[in-house]
């Protein structure tokens, strides 16, 4: 599936549960990072699109996690928009295996897991509690 086909399907909530993998989340964030005029625009699209797709898939609304969406989207944005950022999705996947390593989740570099487990983090953006986050969100 091309990037255009993928994002078209995502925005119309036409991705199947089997297709809505962790890698698909990363790809969606990468596409928005590459195409949106700025970080806030990219995050707005993610924050609207994920709950819409989840609803179409029958996923309970309380399972959407706003801090994970925003923080992960920000990290992908930083990696996707820098001067040496890979220009294609396959190249991005190859250069950034840290986004796909489930044994060491990348968000744990910036967040204590107990912070991410809070209701406040699930329902709204909570700032990172560890140093090194690539962009400060307000």
């Amino acid at each position: 599936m091309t990037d255009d086909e993928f994002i078209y399907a995502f925005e119309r909530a036409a991705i199947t549960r089997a297709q809505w993998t962790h890698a698909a989340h990363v790809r969606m964030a990468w596409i928005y990072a590459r195409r949106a005029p700025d970080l806030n625009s990219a995050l707005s699209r993610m924050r609207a699109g994920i709950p819409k797709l989840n609803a179409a898939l029958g996923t309970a609304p309380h399972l959407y996690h706003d801090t994970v969406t925003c923080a992960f989207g920000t990290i992908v944005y930083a990696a996707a928009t820098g001067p040496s950022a890979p220009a294609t999705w396959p190249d991005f996947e190859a250069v950034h295996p840290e986004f796909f390593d489930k044994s060491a989740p990348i968000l744990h570099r910036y967040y204590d897991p107990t912070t991410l487990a809070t209701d406040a983090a699930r329902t709204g953006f909570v700032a990172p509690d560890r140093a090194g986050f690539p962009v400060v969100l307000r």
Side-chain angles (χ1 to χ4, degrees), residues 39-113:
L39 173 60
N40 287 333
S41 296
L43 292 178
S44 291
R45 291 174 181 168
M46 291 176 218
R47 285 172 129 172
I50 293 172
K52 178 181 173 182
L53 177 59
N54 285 350
L57 295 174
T59 303
H62 74 277
L63 294 179
Y64 171 78
H65 197 295
D66 198 55
T67 297
V68 169
T69 297
C70 291
F72 205 87
T74 298
I75 297 165
V76 171
Y77 186 91
T81 60
S84 61
T88 68
W89 170 245
D91 289 343
F92 185 84
E93 281 184 297
V95 171
H96 291 288
E98 69 274 17
F99 289 110
F100 307 95
D101 183 358
K102 293 186 181 202
S103 67
I106 194 167
L107 286 185
H108 291 177
R109 294 180 188 178
Y110 310 107
Y111 287 90
D112 185 291

